Amino acid sequence: MKEMLTKNLNPSQAEAVLCTEGPLIIFAGAGTGKTRVITHRIAYLLSLGVVSQSVLAVTFTNKAASEMKKRISDLIPGVGVNVWVSTFHSFCAHFLRAEASRISLNPYFLIYDFIDQKSVVKDCVKELNIDEKKFKLSIIADKISRAKDNLKFPSDMAAEAESAGDFFGITVAKIYELYQKKLERADAMDFGDLIMRTVSALQRHSELLEYYREKYKYIMVDEYQDTNHAQYIFIKLLAGKYHNVCVVGDDDQSVYSWRGADINNILDFEKDYPNAKSVKLEQNYRSTPKILSTANQVVKYNNARISKRLWTQNPDNGSVTVLKAVNENDEAVKIAELIYSNAYDNKCKFSDYAVFYRTNAQSRTFEDTFRLSRIPYAIVGTLRFYDRAEIKDVIAYLKLIYNPNDNVSFKRVINIPRRGIGKTSIETLENFAQLKNMSIWQSVPFAQEAGLTKGPAEALNSFAQFIKDFSTLKNSGSVKLIVEKVITDSEYLKELEAENTPESKIKIENIQELISAVDDFEKNRSLDKSLAGYLTQIALMNDADSPDESKGKVTLMTLHLAKGLEFDNVFICGLEEGLFPMGESAFNDKELEEERRLMYVGMTRARKCLYLCWSTERKVYGKIIWNMPSRFIAEAGFKDESAEMEQNRKQNFQNRLSQGFNRTIIHSDSFGREQNFRSFNKKSFKAEIVYTNAGSYGYMSSGGEITKAERFDNPAEDLSPYKIGTAVSHPVFGRGKIIEKSGVGNDLKLVVLFETGQWKKLLARIANLTLI
DNA sequence: CTCATATCGATTTTT
DNA sequence: TCGATATGAG
């Protein structure tokens, strides 16, 4: 058995697999066969006679969990399926339901997602009379989540904020406190609660801790670099007796610190477990040597990392190429040309290509371009199935049927479809409920007493009756039946049908898809087919990626979503200072390093060809900005372009100036694309390849920004002496020409192109310019 | 209560 | 730029 399991492994992989006792950390670089090692290690444990029920494997995503589960049971048929493989959240949800009675918890709690969380925060903000404009819901909800990630109670947050004199923190702590009360009152938990309450339960109930420690003698954690503090403590608790904990991860691929992930968990593992064994997986099976060395070279600029170097035996036939574009359309067109010409020649399939970008907004240009050039594409990520309004509506009905005290769901569906119960009615009722310490549901019978007029009160009652009508179905009936009854009896479907717009048709399709998903749930999920089981399942599961959807298509996605995937050809786009690395992160070492890791993740997805793309000009929020090429291009070993870039920019401006600045921009938008497409026949494919791997690299100074003046939008004549094209003189910068202009009066800002080639954005009021 | 217009504001998003 | 939300008239 041992031989069978190790014969296809390299020496370090085998070492990791065979090390079964005591703490073990596996540093698994990109493409080094991590999943293989984990699954083989579990198989090996089982072959040694370890009972499958005492092995626990934790991952972050359902996708990873089901993949692992499948591979384990393939490896050890029959026994493998009993290994507990699940996500942190799913494990904790099961734990809390199972042990609910012991920790005085309602086992029928609901799970709130981020949208629900924000909705509760909104209620809190209103109730506490806090200015919604100063405190944005998502920031507050985020801060509360971060606190839970760090096992901080409202009181902890308050105390910390107090001593730091952090006014914002003090306010959020108040919101957090109320927020928590509301969740408890509604028997709901957010994602953070699942972990935090599990940890608390284990800490407070020694008999529970002892039981689970005994139960799970062998623990494995995947993507350990992404664990937050709460998850870290959770593992530490469970592994506290036998110390048979094996964590796998790659510090170079830690890109979720903004969601509470603490990279120190992986960096300090050997401090936490002094007798820990450590294995590095460095042989890469994915990429060509050129791509690997380039990626290595970039990530080497990071300080907070454990030194490792990926190598490969793959043939050296790949390439890393920098693609320079004039604007974001040009960027997309060049990529489209490359993809199209290769696909046309049958050198590659569309599905061999992936386009990665830093922000979702960038996908738009690619969509437009690909659609025009008939390149099939699939966007991964943006809007998740269960986040769609119509799906959330139907689910809210289910939640309400399951637990009528769920205020969030109540408010969501009370007037969908319209029942003539408006904002004021709900508000009055909610205030009344608040006062009497009831849920909104419980206060429905007192609607008139609460001050509602007859119409709404009656509507409310019949709505309540509608929900009550499910009381028998909810315990015994099939979920599918409930859903169907909900959408027909509530007339939700009827209203959508009446709308009869393209949007409403899509919504109906989505609802139909939901029904078939429910059907699938009932047919293929033997464990818990109840409404409760279904709600838990979907709360913790985003839509399973349907593989056939990306078949034969170019994949478009953010760099974050690219983690864990691989493609023959990868385009990393928008490699510009300010976009990637993004915003201010260039000025903060920690943030810059995370951006760099993201770059590393992107680069190491490529098997054969990697393209680094940047554009000299880019439209952001409707304004054109000029960025410097990203430092990551230089760090990847491409020669310092800053000098040339500067030259470029001067040329750019001179050209614009001589042709009339505004015209050029407008033309390049509406006609430039057309021209590009006119040449879009197979023969003339030729992307401008600017630099290929050359020697030196250096650092580039951060780029300036120039914005197009609003003058196109409001051509009203102004009275100031400063006009576009006016020659002026500045005491320091010398002579120049006004090329841009925005604002009025005291706010009048000018962009002046000086004879030196330099341009500056100046406030007219203080710039001390003289007309010449 | 509902529909139409202003206003704001905008990373990344495993569960 | 464009989309999601807040405000106001009917």
Side-chain angles (χ1 to χ4, degrees), chain A residues 189 688 716:
Chain A
M189 277 199 219
E688 181 196 4

Side-chain angles (χ1 to χ4, degrees), chain A residues 685-742:
Chain A
F685 288 136
K686 150 167 133 274
E688 181 196 4
I689 293 170
V690 182
Y691 305 109
T692 38
N693 249 3
S696 69
Y697 46 86
Y699 175 73
M700 287 168 277
S701 62
S702 160
E705 172 191 306
I706 186 171
T707 56
K708 194 172 72 158
E710 291 92 74
R711 72 186 123 92
F712 304 129
D713 308 319
N714 57 347
E717 227 10 85
D718 65 277
L719 303 166
S720 83
Y722 301 114
K723 307 239 174 344
I724 305 292
T726 307
V728 290
S729 171
H730 185 274
V732 179
F733 303 109
R735 291 154 61 93
K737 240 180 188 177
I738 296 174
I739 56 170
E740 290 272 355
K741 186 171 167 177
S742 62

